[in-house]
Amino acid sequence: MNSRRDFLQKITASAIALTILPRYSMAMPEQPYDGPVLRVAIMGLGSYGSRVAEAMQSCKKAKLVGVISGTPSKIKDWQSKYSIPEKNCYNYETFDKIKDNPDIDAVYVITPNALHHPHVIRAAQAGKHVICEKPMALNAKEGQEMINACKKANVKLLVGYRMHFEPHTLEIIRMRKAGEFGKILFFQGLCGFKIGDPNQWRLNKQLAGGGSLMDIGIYALNGSRYMIGEDPIWVTAQETKTDHNLFKPGVDETIQFQMGFPGGAVASCLSTYNMNNLDRFFLNGEKGFAELQPSTGYGPIKGRTNKGELNQPIVVHQTLQMEEMSAIILQGKQPVVPVDGEEALKDLKVIDAIYEAVKSGNKITLKLAE
């Protein structure tokens, strides 16, 4: 199955092979760790679930100990590959029994978008912390219900915002907070690729909840917020559809959206399933600028500012994410940029507003704090 993840993997594979091992080892040197370890069961053993599992083999603070899948052959393969005991293996009908398994602390939900809502709520009701892939849900209503369920169960809800831990991204955020760019004026986020397999779930409205915006455009939306350092107060949006056979009603091909922020900055973003070579963030201020290109791919991320090239460590995003999420869940660590359910809910509110703006042609006022 072709997908955004397959596409990003192909365009960066050669660069990763050349750079990731030596530079990653410098970023996270080998040293003894005797602190708490987050024991994780992955739900959804597709391409991205496999990527997370592989990345977790390098983790010290998190360990893959369980699987949840509807495909028995995948469960067997993962059992063998990752030495997962039979008692930690579940299917979608039986996984509520995970509540009786003290050897699993958290469930990482990596299923199609429409399944996030029921899967997260069931995991929470089983008393397990939850990590959910983005978008957290199909809309803000579902997202709030997921937050409520986790609060009621007294478990944490985190979302797979891997870029919130990426070193080049965090350096730009540090510089912006330090005033090195001056007053922020403008952000541009370009996210897209030409989608492949027409039968994949990402082109199914019932499973995906939309199209490119839900899958790849959320990077530009979320990126505008952490790059500018504010939440938007209005949004406008326009949709372009050139292939009505591939992109059925409710599945967006290309959406351009614009946002305004309290400090006066504006953002212009593009999300598409019909153009390649789009993975760029640009931030402009009165005193300087910052650019990331690639900005959200699996690596290596490359960046520059008005002061020159950024040379932060190249990391495996999913390894670093799981290390940091373990520290958040087990040690109460506060990340530079939040990765909790409330953070994801804000993105869902904006996504709802973007779709509303596309349909109405109106500027939609946003109140993300409510």
Side-chain angles (χ1 to χ4, degrees):
M1 181 183 71
N2 293 323
S3 69
R4 165 173 57 84
R5 299 177 178 102
D6 298 326
F7 167 77
L8 292 172
Q9 182 177 12
K10 289 177 183 177
I11 65 173
T12 61
S14 60
I16 292 173
L18 289 174
T19 65
I20 200 163
L21 292 177
R23 294 185 69 183
Y24 182 71
S25 63
M26 288 189 293
M28 299 184 68
E30 290 296 325
Q31 57 185 357
Y33 173 74
D34 60 1
V37 175
L38 184 71
R39 299 165 299 176
V40 179
I42 290 180
M43 175 186 290
L45 310 185
S47 60
Y48 193 68
S50 297
R51 179 177 285 274
V52 172
E54 284 297 302
M56 286 186 68
Q57 302 313 296
S58 301
C59 287
K60 299 174 185 176
K61 300 178 182 179
K63 182 179 180 181
L64 173 62
V65 300
V67 294
I68 304 159
S69 174
T71 307
S73 60
K74 287 184 178 180
I75 292 177
K76 291 297 183 184
D77 290 345
W78 280 51
Q79 274 190 273
S80 175
K81 186 172 185 179
Y82 300 113
S83 301
I84 296 172
E86 181 70 30
K87 69 180 183 65
N88 290 356
C89 297
Y90 302 86
N91 59 39
Y92 295 123
E93 288 71 40
T94 65
F95 98 85
D96 300 285
K97 296 179 181 178
I98 203 171
K99 67 182 178 182
D100 300 317
N101 191 333
D103 296 331
I104 296 174
D105 302 312
V107 174
Y108 194 160
V109 177
I110 313 180
T111 51
N113 300 342
L115 301 178
H116 292 177
H117 176 263
H119 287 163
V120 165
I121 290 176
R122 286 174 67 186
Q125 289 173 342
K128 304 302 179 181
H129 299 296
V130 191
I131 303 169
C132 181
E133 259 311 298
K134 59 193 178 305
M136 182 173 72
L138 297 187
N139 52 58
K141 178 179 180 294
E142 283 192 356
Q144 186 63 62
E145 290 170 355
M146 294 157 73
I147 291 171
N148 293 346
C150 289
K151 286 183 177 179
K152 182 178 180 180
N154 196 30
V155 297
K156 288 186 168 63
L157 171 59
L158 304 182
V159 180
Y161 288 114
R162 56 187 168 83
M163 303 315 298
H164 292 197
F165 308 109
E166 195 282 318
H168 296 77
T169 303
L170 289 178
E171 174 61 11
I172 291 175
I173 292 172
R174 184 201 65 77
M175 294 177 69
R176 187 254 302 156
K177 287 183 174 179
E180 295 184 35
F181 305 128
K183 178 180 171 63
I184 301 302
L185 305 173
F186 176 72
F187 171 82
Q188 182 187 52
L190 305 176
C191 296
F193 65 97
K194 201 169 182 66
I195 201 164
D197 181 6
N199 298 313
Q200 63 180 281
W201 68 263
R202 289 175 181 81
L203 295 174
N204 182 325
K205 174 67 163 62
Q206 282 64 46
L207 288 176
S212 68
L213 179 63
M214 300 291 283
D215 183 31
I216 194 78
I218 191 171
Y219 283 98
L221 162 55
N222 186 254
S224 71
R225 295 176 51 230
Y226 62 68
M227 294 284 274
I228 292 173
E230 295 179 348
D231 289 331
I233 55 176
W234 59 260
V235 63
T236 55
Q238 307 80 37
E239 180 180 4
T240 303
K241 187 174 289 191
T242 63
D243 188 337
H244 293 269
N245 290 322
L246 184 60
F247 303 102
K248 301 294 192 296
V251 179
D252 45 282
E253 173 188 323
T254 301
I255 288 185
Q256 298 176 76
F257 57 99
Q258 305 78 39
M259 294 176 288
F261 293 78
V266 293
S268 176
C269 301
L270 183 144
S271 167
T272 184
Y273 270 159
N274 201 32
M275 286 180 270
N276 288 331
N277 309 309
L278 292 175
D279 186 8
R280 177 178 183 264
F281 285 179
F282 180 78
L283 184 72
N284 196 34
E286 288 183 334
K287 296 181 180 179
F289 72 88
E291 179 185 47
L292 290 172
Q293 187 175 12
S295 58
T296 63
Y298 294 143
I301 301 300
K302 295 182 179 179
R304 66 188 181 101
T305 74
N306 53 292
K307 297 183 178 181
E309 297 292 322
L310 294 176
N311 293 299
Q312 313 320 117
I314 302 298
V315 301
V316 177
H317 297 172
Q318 293 79 10
T319 303
L320 185 56
Q321 171 191 301
M322 295 308 294
E323 294 284 73
E324 292 296 305
M325 287 188 165
S326 172
I328 292 168
I329 291 174
L330 298 181
Q331 302 179 55
K333 183 174 180 179
Q334 296 297 314
V336 174
V337 184
V339 292
D340 55 26
E342 283 77 8
E343 170 76 5
L345 181 63
K346 291 180 178 181
D347 283 346
L348 293 174
K349 288 179 178 180
V350 179
I351 287 174
D352 287 351
I354 289 172
Y355 283 131
E356 182 182 348
V358 165
K359 291 180 181 179
S360 69
N362 297 328
K363 177 188 285 189
I364 308 299
T365 299
L366 297 168
K367 296 181 180 179
L368 301 190
E370 296 181 356

